[in-house]
Amino acid sequence: QVRLVESGGGSVQAGGSLRLSCAASTDTSNMKSMGWFRQVPGKEWEGVACIWTGGPLTYYADSVKDRFTISEDSAKTTLFLEMNSLQPEDSAIYKCARGFGAGDCLESRKYNYWGQGTLVTVCA
């Protein structure tokens, strides 16, 4: 069983930056998709950014393009989400995920393992 643990959430002023991390408990190098999702209360989970190692290809939601950057460490055990120019509408619970699905990795059904989530609050 793979356990994913997020960290790095918190409160920040609009225009600020945060860096989220997602540590995996075991080797996940055989998983093709890794990504970050977010949810605002009352809304569906939204795919924010992901990497599909089959390409490799990186995907971003239109709302975060040019502001967020997804990356993975060289040991392939920690996933990062660098978030810049944060806006109040970025406030949400952010979760990382890893899975075996191929193709468009912004789709949640591609994933088998999920973290518990970390809260990001951006103040105007």
Side-chain angles (χ1 to χ4, degrees):
Q1 187 75 349
V2 177
R3 183 167 177 250
L4 303 177
V5 179
E6 301 97 339
S7 60
S11 296
V12 65
Q13 293 291 320
S17 299
L18 285 173
R19 189 191 198 205
L20 304 183
S21 299
C22 172
S25 60
T26 62
D27 180 15
T28 59
S29 59
N30 62 335
M31 296 186 187
K32 295 297 185 183
S33 295
M34 59 194 82
W36 289 94
F37 291 76
R38 68 184 181 185
Q39 187 183 39
V40 175
K43 294 190 175 181
E44 297 291 321
W45 281 97
E46 175 191 20
V48 175
C50 65
I51 299 171
W52 177 49
T53 61
L57 294 172
T58 303
Y59 296 85
Y60 293 94
D62 288 342
S63 57
V64 306
K65 278 181 182 176
D66 301 322
R67 298 190 298 124
F68 290 13
T69 303
I70 187 171
S71 62
E72 186 182 33
D73 70 339
S74 58
K76 301 190 181 300
T77 58
T78 304
L79 190 66
F80 302 101
L81 185 67
E82 186 76 35
M83 305 185 295
N84 298 315
S85 302
L86 283 162
Q87 300 301 316
E89 53 265 33
D90 295 315
S91 297
I93 296 173
Y94 285 73
K95 285 191 177 184
C96 65
R98 288 186 183 260
F100 299 101
D104 183 2
C105 49
L106 286 178
E107 295 181 11
S108 60
R109 62 186 177 89
K110 304 290 185 179
Y111 296 89
N112 305 87
Y113 301 100
W114 295 81
Q116 292 298 307
T118 186
L119 180 63
V120 170
T121 303
V122 184
C123 304

